[in-house]
Every structure is written in C-alpha cells, then in structure tokens.
Amino acid sequence: MSELNSSPKPPVAARKPVERRHHGDVFVDEYEWLRDKSDDEVLAYLRAENEYTEARTAHLESLREAIFKEISDRTLQTDLSVPARRGGYWYYSRTIEGKQYGIHCRVKADGDEPPVTDGDIEGEEVMLDGNEVAGDSEFFALGTVDVSPDGRLLAYSVDLKGDERFTLRIKDLSTGELLRDELPEVHYGSAWSADGSTIFYTKVDDAWRPYQVWRHALGAADDALVMEEPDERFWVGVDLTRNEQAIMIALGSKLTSEVWLLDANDPAGQPVVVAPRREGVEYDVEHAGDQLLITHNADAANFSLATASLDSPGSWTTLIQGDETSRLLGVDAFADHVILYRRRDALTELAIMRRTPEGFGAPEALEFEEPIYTVSPGRNDEWHDTRYRFGYTSLITPGSTYDVNLATGERRLLKQQPVLGGVDLSAYTQYREWATAADGTSVPISLVARKDVAKDGNAPVVLYGYGSYESSMDPWFSIPRLSLLDRGVVFAIAHVRGGGELGRHWYDNGKMLTKRNTFTDFIAAAEHLVKDGWTRPERIVAQGGSAGGLLMGAVANLAPGAFGGIVAEVPFVDALTTILDPSLPLTVIEWEEWGNPLEDAAVYEYMKSYSPYENVSAQEYPRILAITSLNDTRVFFVEPAKWVAKLRATAAGNVDVLLKTEMEAGHGGRSGRYDAWRELAFTLSWELDTLGLA
C-alpha cells in the first residue's frame, strides 16, 4: 500500500460559499460551483484530480495489466448469443476478438431448432455492426434494435456522447440501405405497427424524463404526437405486444401506473386506457390474445394476478391472490400457457401455468438444486412457442441459457457462458448467511469464495450493496470477479432493505422516512462478517454505485471504522441538493422514493441527517475511490466532485480519497468492452491494494 504523505499532493478545490435556505435551515455550500462542466476552471479541476489519481495509483499499473489480461484470457472474445426465433428468422448477436462492440445478426429459420452456436453460421446476415456505426467515437450506445414484424426493416438508435439522447434511423434489411428517415433526440425503446409502416418512439423533456410518445409514418415529413404526460412524476414507454395485436403505452411513477393500448393494425387510431390511474396502484398488462392479464397491487402489497376482457379492460377478476409469501414480478403470456415470474425466500422463481378449457392451471414452479441462484425470463418472441427460454446463474455458475419444453417439462441447456484460461469452477463455493440489523431484522448476505479460504478472521472481503427502488441484487456470476477470488478475496452481497429481495415490505422499509435502514443493514452485514469469523474491519472494502453510491457515502459517515476502504461508483452523494431542485433530471419522479424536501420540513430534516455531502465531518475516514462520468445525466459528476473536495477539506488526519472522472462516458461508464475491462481492472487493483494484496 502506498504512503499518503509522499508526493504528489492532491488538488485543492477553491471555496466559493453559497447559501441554501429551506425550512429555516441555512446550509453553506462551498463547492456548488463545480456543477458547470462548461466552465474551464471546473474542467481543469477534474483533470487535475485525474492526474493525481493516476499518479497515486501508478504503482498498480502492472497489477492492472495483469488483471486486464486475466479478464481477456478468461473471456471467449469471439462468441455469439443463443439465437432466438421470431417469425422466419433466428436472431442473435456476436462479438469478435479485438472489436469493442457487438454485431447484430440473423439467419433464416430452417426447422424449429436454433442453429449451432459454436462456429460460423451459414447464411448469416449482419443487420447492424456496432463497430462500424461507432466509428472513431469515444462513446457508443444503442437505445433500440427493433426489427419490424415482417422482418423487412430495422430501427436502431445511437448515442455517441453518453447523455442518453439518441438518433433513430431505419435500415432496409433487403437492400442494406438506410432510409431517409432520421429522428433526433429520441429516448430508449421503440415499437413497430403490425404492418411495419409506422414506428412509435418517446422523447424526453428538459429534465431527461420520457414524457411524449410520437408516431412516425415512414417517409413522412412530420410526426404526430400520440400522447404527452404532464405529471412530472410519470415516465412513459412504448412497446409492441408479443402477439403483435397492440401497441402498449405504459405510464408510471414510483407508486402509480396507467397503461393504454392501441390497435397495432391501426397505427393512426386512438389509444384506449386499460384502467385510469389511481394514486398508489401499480399495474402491468400482458396481452393474452383473447384477454388481458393484469399484475397489480390494488389489493395486495406483493401483487395479485387478474384477468380482464378486451372489451372491458378496467374490470379485473382475480386469478391469483397476492400474499405475504411471494412477490409477483410479472407474467409472460403465450397462446397455450403463461409463465409467472416471482420472488420467494430471497430467490427468484419461474412457474408454468397451462391454459385449460376452464382458464389456467395451477402454477408449476421450476426447481433448481443450488441453494443460491438467480433465474429470470429469457428472450421469448414467439406467441405460439411450445418452449420457454430462461436464464440461470449463481455466484459459482456462469450465465446459462435454457429452453424448457412446456409439454414434458424437459430442460435443455443451450449455452453456458464460457470461462477460459483453465479456470476450475469447482474450486469456488457460495454461502447464504443472515446478519441481524439494529432493530432485530434478519438481513440476507450472499457470499462466494475459493474453497481453500480459511474462515480465520483474516479473510479480505469486498462487500457490495445497493438498496433502492426495489431493485434486487440477485446473485450473479462474474469473470472479472475471479481476479479477486483467486487472490483470496471473499465477495459478499448485502441484500439490504430498500431493495426487493424479500418482497414489497423489504422495499417499503428502506425508503422515504425509513431510508436509514438501508445504511444500518449494510453496517450490520459488515459487522456480521467480523463476528462470524470471516474477517476484521480493516480487511473489508465496501462497494456500491449510483444509489448504492449514496449507501457508500452514508456508511462512510456513520461507521468509518467498519471498513478499510470504500468504492463509490457514480455515487448519489449530494442527494439533498439534487432532490431539492425540480429542474434537475429525475428529481420530481424521485420524490416518491425519497420524499419531497421542498414541501415537507420533516423530509428535509431526515434527508439532511443522512445525505453524505452534508454529513462529512472531522473524523478519520477509510480509503475512498470515487468514480464518475462527465456526461452522466442520472447522477451528475458534480456530486462526487463536491464530496471529494469536502472530504479533503474536512476529514481528520491524512484522508486518502481519489476521484476518477471519465471524460467521455455516461452513467454506465466506458462503452467499449475492452475499455470497460480496463476500468474494471483499475477498480479491482485499487481494492486489492487497499486489502494489502497488491
């Protein structure tokens, strides 16, 4: 581990005090000036921080290169996904060694079996080569890749900055030519009409909120506005149902939903609402051909499943009543069956419901042998399919793609993520443990380690957490993580409240005025790993990103002695400042997650009590690495920039804090896979250095 008191010296941000006044409280913010990325002084400061970070981590260069090579050598770089059937084609994507981006392909279907995926596929048609479209751009991302129902046209949208605003183009797949249609400033997603004559898309407002649905008839000079949502809490999205009968327009806030359906065969028609919004009622719609299936929480916190007729979609008849034992996440409907996707006992589950003359049969859950795993719906585009595709993974099982025969129940493994380089997967093992939170709540922890790691109180640990928006950090396999495990590190996930691992109540008890449970749960998980004999505090590095970065900033203030280091990626560490400003992207919709501190003094006081930036104090902190992106539109770079500046100016002792800003990236970091691997290698090497394993 390098000495902090050696050169170089860290940058010092200028102090330019401004006052923030709300509810009688005055907060003096000395670093708000860092918000303006067009200011040369701001850019110079960020570059100085990058230079300092590079100098402070220069001794890790050989380790970074070693880890990058490990990731590269263990990854099958020329590979392709399992082809998925839609209409007369099998669709898939491939990667080529040395190329940053994926290539989207298809091949004409010949029979019901997908083509072999361990080599070249005869008759392959390249629809879109991401490497060609990206060109020399430092950043490249796709917002949609959408083939028309007749297979003739491809709609795709491109972001070359990282700000999540895309330009949509149409390609004639029969000729390879681009149509003259070009739609700028669109958001994620798209939906074709049934005949492929019209495409629907969304646009964002000044706060980056998708709020409009537009209709573009191919070749038309002007587009038509289909729907606009004035309520700033609501986002809109658009999609074509699996059976291609309807264009679905979904509007949703954090707590309330509304869905409209438009006849896909009449793209110029008027959408019809399924059920008018009711405050606090969330629902999703699945078109089941002769009826609708509605997943909703109108009568159960963990969601029920109902049916509705096409003629009277707002009248719901309960099919499965929600209960406390499982959280219904959604359904996939097909001509002859329905698949339930739900959560039970902190694990995900898929269950088959067959259509019967009377309606639907009882759910038949798919069973798995591992005690900890994640199962999830795969790509299933065919309405009349007799097989269902799903994904499976665990902390020790690489991502696997299966088809299950719905008549016989027989499963077929189509592909498992290859792990090269002589890795012996049997050398690793996984555990599920439970920490006890301050209020007595049991908090699940998932762990993975090499089998030869001793539980002697000295194991190095990386403890990961998120805990917001009901997003569950279900166990997943990671090739880059092997570079930690093979050096003796235990990787653990704290399934803290605010996520959805144990149902809706788990989320409700980690948001709004119970948000501190998220932080104390994470601290309890760290303390459990010490009490249970795994490690000691200085051998734990905590890690989280975005809202998980808020978690990192909060626990740094609340329990700095519980960790030896903290990695905060695109961290939401200036939460109160952001949530107080409705002009900023995402703020208004976030009020249903955090509360509205503008209007409610109690919310203001509560958020100020935990918001990381406001609570930096003259105490000793563990080592901290903050990573951000200049073009991030979700968590602005200014948040970690201000946080780091304040830590340096306020913390006791020689605080060891680094800020790394990606100057050509968005919320997800670098876009090319090799660039992303190098960024992972940077973070992993810092973690190993902090754990004394460099």
Side-chain angles (χ1 to χ4, degrees), residues 402-467:
Y402 285 87
D403 273 354
V404 56
N405 185 306
L406 295 166
T408 66
E410 179 185 0
R411 297 179 206 172
R412 178 183 174 192
L413 176 62
L414 300 176
K415 185 168 187 172
Q416 187 173 87
Q417 177 188 11
V419 184
L420 308 181
V423 173
D424 178 10
L425 294 176
S426 68
Y428 310 96
T429 188
Q430 59 181 350
Y431 310 88
R432 169 61 59 82
E433 298 190 3
W434 297 80
T436 301
D439 62 359
T441 300
S442 294
V443 180
I445 310 172
S446 300
L447 303 93
V448 60
R450 288 186 60 89
K451 291 178 178 177
D452 57 5
V453 171
K455 196 173 181 179
D456 60 1
N458 195 47
V461 173
V462 171
L463 179 62
Y464 183 85
Y466 187 75

Side-chain angles (χ1 to χ4, degrees), residues 548-558 566 568 571 573 610-613 621 643:
L550 166 66
L551 169 60
M552 295 300 101
V555 300
N557 290 327
L558 291 170
I566 291 176
V573 284
Y610 70 72
S611 186
Y613 180 61
Y621 283 83
W643 181 51

Side-chain angles (χ1 to χ4, degrees), residues 70-353:
E70 289 167 9
I71 297 171
S72 301
D73 290 348
R74 290 167 173 165
T75 302
L76 183 60
Q77 297 179 45
T78 297
D79 197 10
L80 57 94
S81 64
V82 178
R85 180 74 176 266
R86 184 184 178 202
Y89 291 89
W90 293 98
Y91 291 88
Y92 56 96
S93 61
R94 64 163 62 250
T95 56
I96 296 177
E97 186 170 358
K99 300 286 188 181
Q100 292 270 31
Y101 302 107
I103 302 170
H104 297 266
C105 308
R106 70 179 182 180
V107 64
K108 286 187 176 180
D110 181 14
D112 293 330
E113 292 300 317
V116 177
T117 61
D118 58 358
D120 293 336
I121 294 180
E122 185 177 353
E124 176 178 274
E125 176 186 347
V126 174
M127 300 188 300
L128 184 71
D129 186 335
N131 303 285
E132 291 181 1
V133 179
D136 296 329
S137 298
E138 290 289 328
F139 184 89
F140 167 75
L142 290 168
T144 190
V145 179
D146 191 2
V147 178
S148 60
D150 61 7
R152 185 173 57 89
L153 300 171
L154 171 70
Y156 68 94
S157 60
V158 175
D159 168 18
L160 297 178
K161 294 181 180 179
D163 61 3
E164 300 183 86
R165 292 198 179 188
F166 301 84
T167 298
L168 189 146
R169 302 297 307 271
I170 309 293
K171 182 178 181 179
D172 187 328
L173 294 175
S174 63
T175 65
E177 299 296 321
L178 287 174
L179 304 188
R180 289 186 298 174
D181 309 72
E182 182 172 325
L183 311 176
E185 299 288 303
V186 308
H187 194 56
Y188 291 101
S190 60
W192 285 101
S193 62
D195 63 0
S197 68
T198 304
I199 191 160
F200 296 81
Y201 61 93
T202 61
K203 282 197 168 189
V204 297
D205 61 14
D206 291 339
W208 256 258
R209 175 182 68 99
Y211 78 119
Q212 293 176 331
V213 176
W214 287 80
R215 179 179 68 239
H216 173 75
L218 298 188
D222 298 312
D223 293 355
L225 178 63
V226 178
M227 185 171 293
E228 179 173 330
E229 175 52 60
D231 191 327
E232 293 179 287
R233 298 174 302 160
F234 283 74
W235 281 27
V236 304
V238 63
D239 201 5
L240 176 65
T241 60
R242 179 181 290 107
N243 57 21
E244 300 176 358
Q245 291 189 28
I247 305 294
M248 184 179 299
I249 299 171
L251 303 96
S253 74
K254 300 291 184 186
L255 299 175
T256 307
S257 304
E258 186 175 86
V259 177
W260 296 67
L261 298 178
L262 171 64
D263 186 347
N265 291 291
D266 182 18
Q270 293 298 314
V272 175
V273 68
V274 172
R277 69 189 65 172
R278 285 190 286 158
E279 196 70 23
V281 174
E282 300 169 65
Y283 72 91
D284 293 320
V285 176
E286 180 75 358
H287 205 299
D290 58 346
Q291 60 188 300
L292 302 178
L293 294 175
I294 315 291
T295 305
H296 68 90
N297 68 342
D299 60 4
N302 274 332
F303 288 71
S304 299
L305 181 63
T307 61
S309 71
L310 300 180
D311 295 331
S312 183
S315 298
W316 300 347
T317 301
T318 299
L319 184 61
I320 297 177
Q321 178 65 47
D323 58 37
E324 293 298 313
T325 65
S326 66
R327 163 72 161 96
L328 181 60
L329 300 173
V331 297
D332 283 335
F334 301 85
D336 297 319
H337 61 278
V338 169
I339 304 293
L340 299 183
Y341 181 39
R342 56 191 179 185
R343 179 176 299 284
R344 190 190 303 271
D345 299 327
L347 296 172
T348 51
E349 179 183 87
L350 293 173
I352 303 168
M353 294 175 61

